[in-house]
Amino acid sequence: MAIFSRIGRFFKKLFQRFGSVRFRKDIGIDLGTASVLVYMQGKGIVLQEPSVVAMDAMTEEIRCVGTAAEKMIGRTPGSLVAMRPLREGVISRYEVTLKMLQHFIVRACGNMFFPPRVVICVPSGVTEVEERAVIDAAKHAGADKTYLIEEPVAAAIGAGLDIMCPIGRLVVDIGGGTTDVAVISLGGVVVSESAKVAGNKFDEALMRYVRRKYGVLIGERTAEKVKIAIGAVAPHTQELKMEVKGRSMEQSLPVVITLSSFEMMKAFSEPLTAVMNVICSVIERTPPELMGDIIRGGITLTGGGSQLRGLDKLITEVTGIKTNVAKNPIHCVALGAGRALSYLGDIEEGKLDLSCVRFHTSSAG
């Protein structure tokens, strides 16, 4: 019996080591303030949902997650609350984030007989405590091993840039909670800066502008819709207009106003200035040799915020460096996280340093 037991344990270990490689569904996750995207190895992006959770206000029991929860923002009765468990790119409500991650991992992977390895994107300025919180949340959500990759690095990979060559690349990733700017060369970050100014701050700036100029209150979702439909940050010839419904502060009654794309430039001036300051700060600290590469190759814009009308032209005008919006900018970070799965090999979980992976692979070869 002892012999059969040892044989059984041997085959079990063998299957866990090699069988799991074949059947495990490794995934990359763009864990954003506004939305969560999941990339599955061999399939591409399999899930894109708002990072919103609706829960019972008394028991904190999760009612729904994602799109269904987002529809409840600003419309829930007192017994329910719809919330974003991530603020400015980091976890603000650990338990809620854990349950949200569990929901999305199970939806993406289905029946997880072999738990997946997971690559999760984080802002370049996160602390060790914040990194540990993300790793612990992923482990408790069902991940086998968890790796972290900085968002601008993932964005560069997803945008199709060759970050492993000795050429400087400047990437600006404007998400929902943070703007990450980084100069990347030989697989590593040379200079980087992260600011907690991004899509959500643009929405808040628009809400303040409408309240101040028209005396009208509009909600978060309405502001986001206006930003997407007519948002602009640079002079343009064709004016766009949109009717917006809100509540009059003076009469407390419903009111309809018309906003134009020309107004958006004034409404967005404050967060836009903060974003431009971060970009210029990184450029000022970039080594001269890499600066030459960037001037030749230009700046690459990724993230949902990169789609604001005229942003690429404005950055080009301010910095003097040609700026291009990546193809499919919203998916770049998730695509990069997924493609980074190919670099994992047998390395220990934690923060990924692709420069080390590069040289380790080269020496091994």
Side-chain angles (χ1 to χ4, degrees):
M1 292 297 292
I3 294 175
F4 286 114
S5 178
R6 285 198 295 270
I7 292 173
R9 286 197 298 270
F10 169 77
F11 279 106
K12 183 179 179 181
K13 289 180 180 178
L14 192 68
F15 190 66
Q16 284 177 340
R17 182 176 180 183
F18 297 104
S20 60
V21 173
R22 180 179 178 183
F23 298 107
R24 182 175 54 206
K25 300 175 180 178
D26 292 338
I27 57 176
I29 300 177
D30 176 9
L31 188 62
T33 302
S35 59
V36 174
L37 289 85
V38 179
Y39 177 104
M40 182 176 290
Q41 206 166 23
K43 292 187 177 181
I45 293 175
V46 295
L47 185 146
Q48 181 175 352
E49 292 271 344
S51 47
V52 182
V53 176
M55 58 191 295
D56 189 294
M58 296 295 292
T59 64
E60 296 194 350
E61 180 184 351
I62 303 298
R63 297 296 187 184
C64 56
V65 179
T67 303
E70 186 188 42
K71 292 177 181 177
M72 298 182 183
I73 292 179
R75 301 181 180 185
T76 56
S79 59
L80 288 176
V81 57
M83 62 174 296
R84 298 184 185 273
L86 293 107
R87 297 294 300 174
E88 298 175 339
V90 296
I91 294 174
S92 61
R93 292 287 299 272
Y94 179 82
E95 291 297 330
V96 181
T97 302
L98 169 59
K99 292 175 182 177
M100 183 180 73
L101 263 177
Q102 285 175 329
H103 174 84
F104 288 138
I105 289 175
V106 170
R107 272 194 56 190
C109 299
N111 184 18
M112 295 184 296
F113 186 77
F114 296 107
R117 293 182 302 174
V118 178
V119 173
I120 299 180
C121 303
V122 293
S124 54
V126 294
T127 64
E128 289 185 9
V129 173
E130 291 164 343
E131 288 176 5
R132 192 71 250 171
V134 175
I135 292 173
D136 289 345
K139 293 284 283 185
H140 284 99
D144 177 23
K145 290 184 178 180
T146 304
Y147 303 87
L148 305 182
I149 184 171
E150 293 181 81
E151 286 179 358
V153 176
I157 297 172
L161 302 180
D162 181 5
I163 67 168
M164 293 301 188
C165 63
I167 297 175
R169 312 283 189 179
L170 178 53
V171 178
V172 179
D173 178 59
I174 307 174
T178 60
T179 292
D180 288 277
V181 185
V183 175
I184 303 165
S185 178
L186 292 170
V189 174
V190 181
V191 183
S192 71
E193 191 168 331
S194 180
K196 295 177 179 179
V197 180
N200 290 349
K201 294 297 184 183
F202 281 86
D203 297 340
E204 292 171 11
L206 179 56
M207 292 165 68
R208 288 196 301 271
Y209 174 82
V210 172
R211 183 172 65 246
R212 185 171 59 248
K213 181 175 181 179
Y214 295 97
V216 173
L217 298 175
I218 62 173
E220 176 185 325
R221 291 191 66 200
T222 300
E224 185 180 20
K225 287 179 181 178
V226 173
K227 178 185 69 178
I228 293 171
I230 64 171
V233 296
H236 50 286
T237 55
Q238 186 177 0
E239 182 182 21
L240 302 174
K241 293 187 177 183
M242 181 177 179
E243 286 191 347
V244 179
K245 298 176 183 178
R247 176 165 59 86
S248 169
M249 293 175 63
E250 183 178 347
Q251 301 173 338
S252 295
L253 294 173
V255 64
V256 178
I257 60 173
T258 301
L259 296 176
S260 77
S261 56
F262 291 159
E263 291 181 278
M264 296 300 103
M265 293 186 290
K266 187 174 182 181
F268 294 148
S269 60
E270 186 178 337
L272 181 62
T273 300
V275 169
M276 297 304 301
N277 286 340
V278 176
I279 296 172
C280 292
S281 173
V282 170
I283 290 174
E284 287 172 1
R285 292 183 285 121
T286 300
E289 290 295 335
L290 295 179
M291 199 65 248
D293 297 335
I294 293 166
I295 291 172
R296 287 189 292 272
I299 298 171
T300 301
L301 275 177
T302 65
S306 68
Q307 297 181 108
L308 280 169
R309 290 172 181 81
L311 182 58
D312 53 342
K313 295 178 182 178
L314 181 64
I315 295 175
T316 299
E317 183 179 334
V318 171
T319 63
I321 303 171
K322 184 179 178 181
T323 303
N324 299 297
V325 179
K327 183 180 179 182
N328 203 358
I330 294 177
H331 291 170
C332 281
V333 173
L335 289 171
R339 290 168 185 168
L341 291 166
S342 61
Y343 293 105
L344 298 184
D346 295 325
I347 64 175
E348 291 297 317
E349 68 179 352
K351 195 168 183 179
L352 276 177
D353 184 349
L354 295 186
S355 62
C356 294
V357 172
R358 174 185 183 274
F359 288 113
H360 174 73
T361 305
S362 299
S363 61

